[in-house]
Amino acid sequence: MTMTVIRSEIRPGAYYDSAVLMQLQRGLLGLPGVLDSGVVMGTPANLELLEQSGLLTDAAKKAGVNDLLIVVKAESEPATSDAFAQVDSLLARRRSTVAQEFRPKSLETAVQQLPEAGWVLVSVPGRFAAGVAREALNLNRHVFLYSDNVSLEDEVALKQTAQSKGLLVMGPDCGTAIINGIGLGFANRVRRGAIGLVGASGTGLQAITSHIHTLGSGVSHAIGAGGRDLKSDVGAITMHQGLDALARDPDTRVIVIVSKPPAPEVATRLLAAAQATGKPIVVDFIGYPPPARKLGNLHFATGLSEAAEMAVKQLSVISDQSLITVPLITGYLRGLFSGGTLAYEVMLGLQAVLSPIYSNTPITESQNLPDPLKSQAHTIVDLGDDVFMVGRLHPMIDNDLRLRRLRQEAADPEVGMILMDVVLGEGAHPDPASELAPAIKEIRDQRPEIEVAAIAIGTDTDPQNLESQVERLKAAGAVVFRSAAEAVEYVARRMTQRPGSVGVPVALVTLNRPLAAINVGLESFYASLVGQGAQAVHVDWRPPAGGNEKLAAILAKMKKK
Amino acid sequence: MTMTVIRSEIRPGAYYDSAVLMQLQRGLLGLPGVLDSGVVMGTPANLELLEQSGLLTDAAKKAGVNDLLIVVKAESEPATSDAFAQVDSLLARRRSTVAQEFRPKSLETAVQQLPEAGWVLVSVPGRFAAGVAREALNLNRHVFLYSDNVSLEDEVALKQTAQSKGLLVMGPDCGTAIINGIGLGFANRVRRGAIGLVGASGTGLQAITSHIHTLGSGVSHAIGAGGRDLKSDVGAITMHQGLDALARDPDTRVIVIVSKPPAPEVATRLLAAAQATGKPIVVDFIGYPPPARKLGNLHFATGLSEAAEMAVKQLSVISDQSLITVPLITGYLRGLFSGGTLAYEVMLGLQAVLSPIYSNTPITESQNLPDPLKSQAHTIVDLGDDVFMVGRLHPMIDNDLRLRRLRQEAADPEVGMILMDVVLGEGAHPDPASELAPAIKEIRDQRPEIEVAAIAIGTDTDPQNLESQVERLKAAGAVVFRSAAEAVEYVARRMTQRPGSVGVPVALVTLNRPLAAINVGLESFYASLVGQGAQAVHVDWRPPAGGNEKLAAILAKMKKK
């Protein structure tokens, strides 16, 4: 066993960009006698990582989150000393590979240098990122905010400002975007085409755009939103803006939206907006139970590959019945079901577009109908629930309970549509239409503005005569479907409320003209832009007061005065 | 305005079956001068329903849950009196329409009368149902338990007993089943065929079987499990038994399982069992986010109609690569991802079959990895998580963090497989294989029992040369996939543990011989059985001590002594 020496050095409050730190670490590793090295900021996670690599010394444990920590493990004491002696020259050597003279030191100067730049890419460390993004918005530029570790409050504030100015803030923690053929951050080289994407998920967008390319199709724009955009606090501001822009973009024929599961109310508003675009929309909310396979122009994918496949397939679908405009029903939906699972499937489908919706067979706790005997807002009731069933026949056999509830709902001035199931077969009522059809007719006669729809479940060999049941329900004035899925799709089309404005719309020209950008942070992103033929300027950015936060605060105060 | 009279009568602790009560109500409604009527057990919900219909008198409010409450609303006092005078004769009239002489009074006698009866249908009121079901199990009969309002404890006890005897308890609250062509309870008349179903959802099974019929295919058996079967307490005992039986049934080629969302650990065990059958299985866990579109022989449907369509489609699929037996990998999976969404999609897919599984990008809270720097059991880590990113380049650019973690995982004796993503494109590392391939080779050389798999995301035009990256990863000993979905499917096939026994298997002959049954409860179910050509006996059942619970308890005590 050889003797090894580990030594560390702490540089308090020093700022270096992450690429510089990586280069330093690699430089140290390349020196003679050096066995391992760590160059990190002194966060608890980084200290633990050093410990796992056998690089944590007692001295190193004292490093704070804003301190740079350099550790070298070497074969001998002299090798360690030699390595540390070269730290500064290694840092300096890296710098000298880049020509500095033409580099602006501030965003303001950079904008003067490249006035046509519509975009600012921000990849500085998280604690400085919001400030740079704010500056970019003040200069009326879209922001691609790659940085992570940005607070939720900053995100909301930035996005609200952007929204009021018709600007996009993609991020924070936005890994990827493709605007007018140019990749920002991490982006695969894909064919131009008619599929537009908005994603709160970086590798989600990368996987889908790559697969679209592999399938022979292409991408108009892929807009990133940042992983938290669909949380309640943010309310999907960026995804709404992106969706709206792609809906207006004549070169985008199919839209894909992708995200981890959104907050329920955010999903509802977003899907309503997606429906209102009229364009085919493929939705992949990974881990969100799809409300249906298809809801009008919305197509729900299971997984990233399938999302790409469905989008490509939609490109070749010429006309879509669902796109025909139908008059909207105002008022609430009341669903009166005898089948618990049918109620549940309808609930699952409609919760995506109708809100608030309640049920005694709820999907989430907040949808629980306090009193199953009284509807409120949109309501789906399972009349076969245990609570109704003490000493009473099931509503598939005995229509009494449903007939009374039908009259109750029809008397409610807030009701716009009543939906029910009619389940045929052995054991069920021998002729449900004989009792339900007159009740439907009564409603349609007295309140013709209330639409009545029925889902008939059965076969052509069932004892009740399916065809005659359906005919009599129709004759009474009901719209009749043969599955819950069809009914859900119909109700969604008739009752989804058009969402409100997304603020000042993003001007399409800012997306569709040749991309020019200012890069603040990782130099490799600048190199990538230039390599792709985009005009770009890299800012030689330094944190305020060299990263010393106390000093920065004093400077900021002085500036205000 | 006419004067109306409402009068009520309470019959304490009296038992009548629900059909009799419905007939009485209808009889009363048909009498001259009667405007409305309610005949219900005095539960709070029923009293509220009476109030909504304007039928609740002060006297009626005193009815208890075990009391029969009769309310009549009539045009005049004499009409009310006349109606009540006829209650007993209406009850008697109904009885006299049925020939009583051949009816056994007990299950035991019924079994002597029809020894070939393999099934007992129980539809007595909930509080008596568990007792009747227990009696049926003691007589070694399968139970179709239609009754609702049965306690969870009773359900668990009944199913455990059944399981130990190779018997099924379908229910409680089981609305439907089709056994060997005969519908039990509510069931649609459908063609015989090669699709078998197990459902914890009555109208779910009805909707799917009806749609299968409409599509021209047919059903071998449709086994009900009851709405609570997939809850943790019950552990899907009946669905496991049904799945096992259908897997062994040579006439069943495709299986559909349907339920509301199962408890996560129940889902995992059930899907593992489904995978082990080797038959194509269509899964519709309504509201459960599908782990993938396809996992080996498992096909995940979005909705009841689609479940039917997928099942019919699977009938015509001849061979399936996934059915080829592959050697199982023992040990744990460790996923080391640079893409958060890829990690999440893989997590979503694998949580359905691997348990326990942890992640710093968990789907449910219980999957949260306490320390992202340390794996435990199956683990999926997103190395691009904020916690890793302070002062460090993203793992798509800098492989250092992943290389160290790779070595750490490879040193863990419990590890059986390592999965990673390799994301190419603009902004990413110019040649990830140059660093990852040697690390993979080192693992494969030192611990060849560890399998290494990679998901390569990119396009043929990406700057890294996709083809060369893939070739070098393969040459190092990795299995390489082009999407998360493919990788998930592969891992699921290699790592899903075969589930344990389902207890004593249900003898197929008890399903496949001509159905004969004993009916206890709703007479209409008996009529339906006979109408379908099945042999059946109806028990002229009365609750112990005429439904008086106190008396019944005394009798039960005396019996024990």
Side-chain angles (χ1 to χ4, degrees), chain B residues 300-493:
Chain B
F300 292 87
T302 303
L304 302 164
S305 304
E306 201 187 47
E309 287 151 19
M310 288 171 84
V312 170
K313 194 178 155 200
Q314 282 304 314
L315 279 179
S316 57
V317 174
I318 304 299
S319 84
D320 191 340
Q321 272 298 98
S322 67
L323 302 186
I324 295 168
T325 313
V326 289
L328 270 193
I329 293 174
T330 51
Y332 290 124
L333 173 77
R334 298 292 156 79
L336 306 180
F337 281 79
S338 61
T341 302
L342 295 176
Y344 194 76
E345 176 157 305
V346 166
M347 188 68 196
L348 181 72
L350 292 180
Q351 66 157 358
V353 285
L354 300 186
S355 175
I357 186 164
Y358 299 95
S359 181
N360 61 342
T361 176
I363 311 289
T364 63
E365 262 181 50
S366 63
Q367 297 164 339
N368 190 48
L369 183 66
D371 182 354
L373 282 69
K374 285 186 192 124
S375 302
Q376 60 185 43
H378 301 293
T379 292
I380 304 289
V381 194
D382 169 17
L383 295 171
D385 192 347
D386 276 16
V387 69
F388 295 112
M389 289 298 95
V390 182
R392 181 179 280 112
L393 286 174
H394 194 277
M396 283 189 203
I397 309 178
D398 181 1
N399 290 306
D400 183 67
L401 186 61
R402 179 142 62 176
L403 291 169
R404 289 178 191 267
R405 185 70 173 248
L406 267 173
R407 282 194 284 271
Q408 182 181 320
E409 302 297 350
D412 183 342
E414 291 190 311
V415 167
M417 187 167 184
I418 296 174
L419 174 65
M420 70 186 84
D421 60 352
V422 181
V423 182
L424 308 179
E426 289 296 336
H429 191 285
D431 185 7
S434 69
E435 298 184 350
L436 294 173
I440 292 168
K441 188 168 183 320
E442 193 182 308
I443 294 171
R444 298 285 297 157
D445 285 348
Q446 289 175 8
R447 291 199 52 203
E449 73 278 15
I450 295 184
E451 184 152 331
V452 180
I455 303 166
I457 300 293
T459 69
D460 56 359
T461 45
D462 275 337
Q464 291 89 350
N465 189 342
L466 172 65
E467 201 182 331
S468 144
Q469 295 289 324
V470 169
E471 282 319 310
R472 282 185 288 156
L473 294 170
K474 281 185 181 169
V479 188
V480 183
F481 303 97
R482 290 292 310 282
S483 72
E486 285 169 25
V488 164
E489 189 163 359
Y490 179 79
V491 175
R493 200 161 79 218

Side-chain angles (χ1 to χ4, degrees), chain A residues 85-136:
Chain A
Q86 297 198 50
V87 165
D88 288 308
S89 68
L90 281 169
L91 285 171
R93 190 207 304 171
R94 165 117 197 333
R95 293 191 173 280
S96 69
T97 63
V98 181
Q100 304 279 320
E101 53 262 54
F102 301 114
R103 300 232 151 147
K105 303 277 181 203
S106 77
L107 205 50
E108 227 167 330
T109 328
V111 166
Q112 284 161 12
Q113 199 170 314
L114 187 66
E116 56 271 54
W119 296 81
V120 176
L121 277 64
V122 182
S123 54
V124 301
R127 58 195 163 126
F128 308 115
V132 179
R134 202 164 288 125
E135 218 181 317

Side-chain angles (χ1 to χ4, degrees), chain B residues 145-189:
Chain B
L145 185 49
Y146 168 88
S147 310
D148 42 50
N149 284 295
V150 171
S151 77
L152 192 58
E153 296 70 39
D154 279 335
E155 175 170 356
V156 172
L158 287 169
K159 288 189 170 178
Q160 285 174 346
T161 303
Q163 191 179 26
S164 70
K165 303 180 89 169
L167 294 171
L168 293 167
V169 171
M170 304 200 289
D173 210 357
C174 182
T176 191
I178 302 172
I179 303 296
N180 204 13
I182 303 293
L184 308 183
F186 303 128
N188 299 93
R189 286 197 187 153

Side-chain angles (χ1 to χ4, degrees), chain A residues 18-19 21-22 25-26 36-37 40-41 43 45-46 48-49 52-53 146 148-149 173 185-190 201 203-204 206-207 210 213-214 260-261 286-287 289-290 292-293 302-306 339-342 344-345 348 361 371 373-374 386-387 389-394 396-398 400-401 404 408 423-428 435 457-463 482-483 522 528 532, chain B residues 18-19 21-22 25-26 36-37 40-41 43 45-46 48-49 52-53 146 148-149 173 185-190 201 203-204 206-207 210 213-214 260-261 286-287 289-290 292-293 302-306 339-342 344-345 348 361 371 373-374 386-387 389-394 396-398 400-401 404 408 423-428 435 457-463 482-483 522 528 532:
Chain A
S18 317
L21 300 183
M22 179 179 81
Q25 186 183 1
R26 303 209 157 185
D36 200 356
S37 160
V40 294
M41 302 302 289
T43 64
N46 283 337
E48 198 182 332
L49 283 166
Q52 286 182 349
S53 293
Y146 169 87
D148 41 49
N149 285 294
D173 210 359
F186 303 129
N188 299 92
R189 287 199 188 151
V190 302
S201 140
T203 43
Q206 287 196 259
S210 291
H213 173 90
T214 304
K260 289 189 190 177
I286 309 153
R293 198 74 183 132
T302 302
L304 301 165
S305 304
E306 201 186 49
T341 303
L342 295 175
Y344 194 76
E345 177 158 305
L348 181 72
T361 178
D371 182 353
L373 283 68
K374 284 186 193 124
D386 277 17
V387 68
M389 288 297 96
V390 182
R392 179 179 283 112
L393 286 174
H394 194 278
M396 284 188 204
I397 310 177
D398 181 2
D400 183 68
L401 186 60
R404 288 178 192 268
Q408 183 181 321
V423 182
L424 308 179
E426 289 294 337
E435 297 183 352
I457 301 292
T459 69
D460 55 0
T461 46
D462 275 336
R482 290 292 310 281
S483 73
L522 291 176
S528 158
Q532 294 176 80
Chain B
S18 315
L21 301 183
M22 178 180 80
Q25 187 184 359
R26 302 207 159 187
D36 200 356
S37 160
V40 294
M41 302 302 290
T43 64
N46 283 338
E48 198 182 332
L49 283 166
Q52 287 183 347
S53 293
Y146 168 88
D148 42 50
N149 284 295
D173 210 357
F186 303 128
N188 299 93
R189 286 197 187 153
V190 302
S201 139
T203 41
Q206 287 196 259
S210 291
H213 173 90
T214 304
K260 287 188 192 178
I286 310 153
R293 196 76 184 131
T302 303
L304 302 164
S305 304
E306 201 187 47
T341 302
L342 295 176
Y344 194 76
E345 176 157 305
L348 181 72
T361 176
D371 182 354
L373 282 69
K374 285 186 192 124
D386 276 16
V387 69
M389 289 298 95
V390 182
R392 181 179 280 112
L393 286 174
H394 194 277
M396 283 189 203
I397 309 178
D398 181 1
D400 183 67
L401 186 61
R404 289 178 191 267
Q408 182 181 320
V423 182
L424 308 179
E426 289 296 336
E435 298 184 350
I457 300 293
T459 69
D460 56 359
T461 45
D462 275 337
R482 290 292 310 282
S483 72
L522 291 176
S528 157
Q532 294 177 81

Side-chain angles (χ1 to χ4, degrees), chain A residues 247-395:
Chain A
R248 286 181 284 115
D249 179 24
D251 296 334
T252 300
R253 289 195 289 122
V254 172
I255 300 171
V256 179
I257 58 181
V258 57
S259 169
K260 289 189 190 177
E265 72 284 5
V266 173
T268 305
R269 228 171 64 90
L270 207 43
L271 294 177
Q275 218 181 328
T277 65
K279 291 190 180 178
I281 312 266
V282 175
V283 182
D284 186 15
F285 290 159
I286 309 153
Y288 174 89
R293 198 74 183 132
K294 177 176 175 306
L295 271 186
N297 56 328
L298 309 184
H299 304 265
F300 292 87
T302 302
L304 301 165
S305 304
E306 201 186 49
E309 288 152 18
M310 288 170 85
V312 171
K313 194 178 154 200
Q314 283 303 315
L315 279 179
S316 57
V317 173
I318 302 299
S319 85
D320 192 340
Q321 271 298 97
S322 67
L323 302 187
I324 295 166
T325 313
V326 289
L328 270 193
I329 292 173
T330 52
Y332 291 123
L333 173 76
R334 299 290 156 81
L336 306 179
F337 281 79
S338 61
T341 303
L342 295 175
Y344 194 76
E345 177 158 305
V346 166
M347 189 67 196
L348 181 72
L350 292 180
Q351 68 158 356
V353 284
L354 300 186
S355 177
I357 186 164
Y358 298 95
S359 180
N360 60 343
T361 178
I363 310 289
T364 62
E365 261 181 50
S366 63
Q367 297 164 340
N368 190 48
L369 184 65
D371 182 353
L373 283 68
K374 284 186 193 124
S375 302
Q376 59 185 45
H378 301 294
T379 293
I380 305 289
V381 193
D382 169 16
L383 295 170
D385 191 347
D386 277 17
V387 68
F388 295 112
M389 288 297 96
V390 182
R392 179 179 283 112
L393 286 174
H394 194 278

Side-chain angles (χ1 to χ4, degrees), chain A residues 102-263:
Chain A
F102 301 114
R103 300 232 151 147
K105 303 277 181 203
S106 77
L107 205 50
E108 227 167 330
T109 328
V111 166
Q112 284 161 12
Q113 199 170 314
L114 187 66
E116 56 271 54
W119 296 81
V120 176
L121 277 64
V122 182
S123 54
V124 301
R127 58 195 163 126
F128 308 115
V132 179
R134 202 164 288 125
E135 218 181 317
L137 292 177
N138 288 343
L139 294 165
N140 292 311
R141 263 65 187 182
H142 295 306
V143 176
F144 176 85
L145 185 48
Y146 169 87
S147 309
D148 41 49
N149 285 294
V150 170
S151 77
L152 191 59
E153 295 68 40
D154 279 336
E155 175 171 354
V156 172
L158 287 170
K159 288 188 170 177
Q160 285 174 346
T161 303
Q163 191 179 27
S164 71
K165 303 179 90 168
L167 294 171
L168 292 168
V169 171
M170 306 202 285
D173 210 359
C174 182
T176 193
I178 302 172
I179 302 297
N180 204 16
I182 303 292
L184 308 183
F186 303 129
N188 299 92
R189 287 199 188 151
V190 302
R191 204 172 292 111
R192 303 287 327 261
I195 300 172
L197 303 93
V198 200
S201 140
T203 43
L205 280 180
Q206 287 196 259
I208 299 176
T209 52
S210 291
H211 199 42
I212 287 171
H213 173 90
T214 304
L215 293 169
S217 289
V219 168
S220 58
H221 303 289
I223 297 170
R228 291 184 308 214
D229 189 62
L230 273 63
K231 286 191 187 292
S232 297
D233 311 72
V234 189
I237 291 178
T238 306
M239 194 171 275
H240 273 285
Q241 289 178 295
L243 192 57
D244 171 70
L246 293 176
R248 286 181 284 115
D249 179 24
D251 296 334
T252 300
R253 289 195 289 122
V254 172
I255 300 171
V256 179
I257 58 181
V258 57
S259 169
K260 289 189 190 177

